[in-house]
Amino acid sequence: MNGWLKVFIRFIECVIILAIGLWVTNSILKPIYEQYGIMLLGNVWVNWFGVSYLLFVWYSLLLGLSPVKENKIYKQRINSGIFWVLCIGAIYVVFVPFVKGENLF
């Protein structure tokens, strides 16, 4: 497969994950936050990115652990240290407001 086509496919994957993350943030996370008395105000994009990155992690794990030959990039991704550090950061962004009782961002 052409190198530029692979780059384009990865770009489309990221855009789709960001779009789904925005929908999840507004449709699912916001009502859950409001149910616990947490207002989703301020830099909502931080929460949006956290949700999107968690979706990206699940997507990468699903494809990286599947027995398909053409998943080399996903296996490299899940073996990366920065991938897991960013995952911990995304978990912090999404779940710490439940502990603190307010959105910190």
Side-chain angles (χ1 to χ4, degrees):
M1 191 183 309
N2 188 356
W4 285 107
L5 182 60
K6 287 182 181 181
V7 170
F8 182 71
I9 290 171
R10 300 296 175 245
F11 175 74
I12 296 300
E13 287 175 348
C14 290
V15 169
I16 290 171
I17 289 173
L18 284 170
I20 293 171
L22 180 62
W23 178 80
V24 169
T25 301
N26 288 329
S27 300
I28 298 172
L29 188 64
K30 186 175 181 179
I32 292 172
Y33 275 5
E34 289 175 353
Q35 184 179 11
Y36 286 94
I38 303 167
M39 297 301 295
L40 191 59
L41 298 173
N43 293 328
V44 178
W45 69 269
V46 176
N47 298 90
W48 168 37
F49 183 76
V51 169
S52 297
Y53 195 78
L54 289 176
L55 291 171
F56 180 71
V57 167
W58 281 105
Y59 174 74
S60 296
L61 284 174
L62 181 72
L63 292 178
L65 299 175
S66 68
V68 179
K69 287 185 179 182
E70 294 295 325
N71 62 358
K72 186 178 184 182
I73 191 166
Y74 300 107
K75 288 183 180 186
Q76 290 174 347
R77 187 180 294 158
I78 63 176
N79 289 327
S80 169
I82 192 74
F83 177 79
W84 292 109
V85 168
L86 290 174
C87 179
I88 291 169
I91 290 170
Y92 177 81
V93 164
V94 173
F95 293 107
V96 162
F98 292 111
V99 176
K100 296 282 188 176
E102 64 180 356
N103 189 11
L104 303 175
F105 311 102

PDB file of all heavy atoms in Angstrom, residues 26 48 72-74 89:
ATOM      1  N   ASN A  26     -20.456  15.312  24.784  1.00  0.00           N
ATOM      2  CA  ASN A  26     -21.681  16.110  24.901  1.00  0.00           C
ATOM      3  C   ASN A  26     -22.910  15.285  25.250  1.00  0.00           C
ATOM      4  O   ASN A  26     -23.790  15.763  25.971  1.00  0.00           O
ATOM      5  CB  ASN A  26     -21.938  16.876  23.600  1.00  0.00           C
ATOM      6  CG  ASN A  26     -20.959  18.007  23.424  1.00  0.00           C
ATOM      7  OD1 ASN A  26     -20.492  18.602  24.383  1.00  0.00           O
ATOM      8  ND2 ASN A  26     -20.628  18.301  22.185  1.00  0.00           N
ATOM      9  N   TRP A  48     -12.891  16.723  26.199  1.00  0.00           N
ATOM     10  CA  TRP A  48     -13.148  16.130  24.894  1.00  0.00           C
ATOM     11  C   TRP A  48     -11.928  15.346  24.420  1.00  0.00           C
ATOM     12  O   TRP A  48     -12.046  14.216  23.957  1.00  0.00           O
ATOM     13  CB  TRP A  48     -13.521  17.223  23.903  1.00  0.00           C
ATOM     14  CG  TRP A  48     -13.552  16.823  22.456  1.00  0.00           C
ATOM     15  CD1 TRP A  48     -13.961  15.633  21.941  1.00  0.00           C
ATOM     16  CD2 TRP A  48     -13.152  17.620  21.349  1.00  0.00           C
ATOM     17  NE1 TRP A  48     -13.853  15.643  20.573  1.00  0.00           N
ATOM     18  CE2 TRP A  48     -13.362  16.859  20.184  1.00  0.00           C
ATOM     19  CE3 TRP A  48     -12.662  18.905  21.219  1.00  0.00           C
ATOM     20  CZ2 TRP A  48     -13.084  17.342  18.919  1.00  0.00           C
ATOM     21  CZ3 TRP A  48     -12.396  19.381  19.951  1.00  0.00           C
ATOM     22  CH2 TRP A  48     -12.603  18.607  18.834  1.00  0.00           C
ATOM     23  N   LYS A  72       0.675  -4.199  12.439  1.00  0.00           N
ATOM     24  CA  LYS A  72       1.992  -3.915  12.987  1.00  0.00           C
ATOM     25  C   LYS A  72       2.046  -2.543  13.676  1.00  0.00           C
ATOM     26  O   LYS A  72       2.610  -2.411  14.750  1.00  0.00           O
ATOM     27  CB  LYS A  72       3.007  -3.983  11.849  1.00  0.00           C
ATOM     28  CG  LYS A  72       4.426  -3.861  12.244  1.00  0.00           C
ATOM     29  CD  LYS A  72       5.263  -4.009  10.972  1.00  0.00           C
ATOM     30  CE  LYS A  72       6.715  -3.995  11.256  1.00  0.00           C
ATOM     31  NZ  LYS A  72       7.495  -4.102  10.013  1.00  0.00           N
ATOM     32  N   ILE A  73       1.433  -1.545  13.078  1.00  0.00           N
ATOM     33  CA  ILE A  73       1.465  -0.197  13.651  1.00  0.00           C
ATOM     34  C   ILE A  73       0.725  -0.148  14.990  1.00  0.00           C
ATOM     35  O   ILE A  73       1.131   0.544  15.916  1.00  0.00           O
ATOM     36  CB  ILE A  73       0.899   0.848  12.667  1.00  0.00           C
ATOM     37  CG1 ILE A  73       1.196   2.260  13.189  1.00  0.00           C
ATOM     38  CG2 ILE A  73      -0.585   0.675  12.462  1.00  0.00           C
ATOM     39  CD1 ILE A  73       0.987   3.335  12.161  1.00  0.00           C
ATOM     40  N   TYR A  74      -0.349  -0.918  15.110  1.00  0.00           N
ATOM     41  CA  TYR A  74      -1.103  -0.938  16.361  1.00  0.00           C
ATOM     42  C   TYR A  74      -0.327  -1.653  17.457  1.00  0.00           C
ATOM     43  O   TYR A  74      -0.363  -1.246  18.616  1.00  0.00           O
ATOM     44  CB  TYR A  74      -2.468  -1.588  16.150  1.00  0.00           C
ATOM     45  CG  TYR A  74      -3.307  -0.860  15.132  1.00  0.00           C
ATOM     46  CD1 TYR A  74      -3.514  -1.405  13.871  1.00  0.00           C
ATOM     47  CD2 TYR A  74      -3.852   0.386  15.410  1.00  0.00           C
ATOM     48  CE1 TYR A  74      -4.269  -0.731  12.928  1.00  0.00           C
ATOM     49  CE2 TYR A  74      -4.599   1.064  14.472  1.00  0.00           C
ATOM     50  CZ  TYR A  74      -4.797   0.501  13.232  1.00  0.00           C
ATOM     51  OH  TYR A  74      -5.525   1.180  12.301  1.00  0.00           O
ATOM     52  N   GLY A  89      -2.919  10.142  31.615  1.00  0.00           N
ATOM     53  CA  GLY A  89      -3.364  11.534  31.631  1.00  0.00           C
ATOM     54  C   GLY A  89      -4.820  11.679  31.240  1.00  0.00           C
ATOM     55  O   GLY A  89      -5.571  12.461  31.832  1.00  0.00           O
TER      56      GLY A  89
END
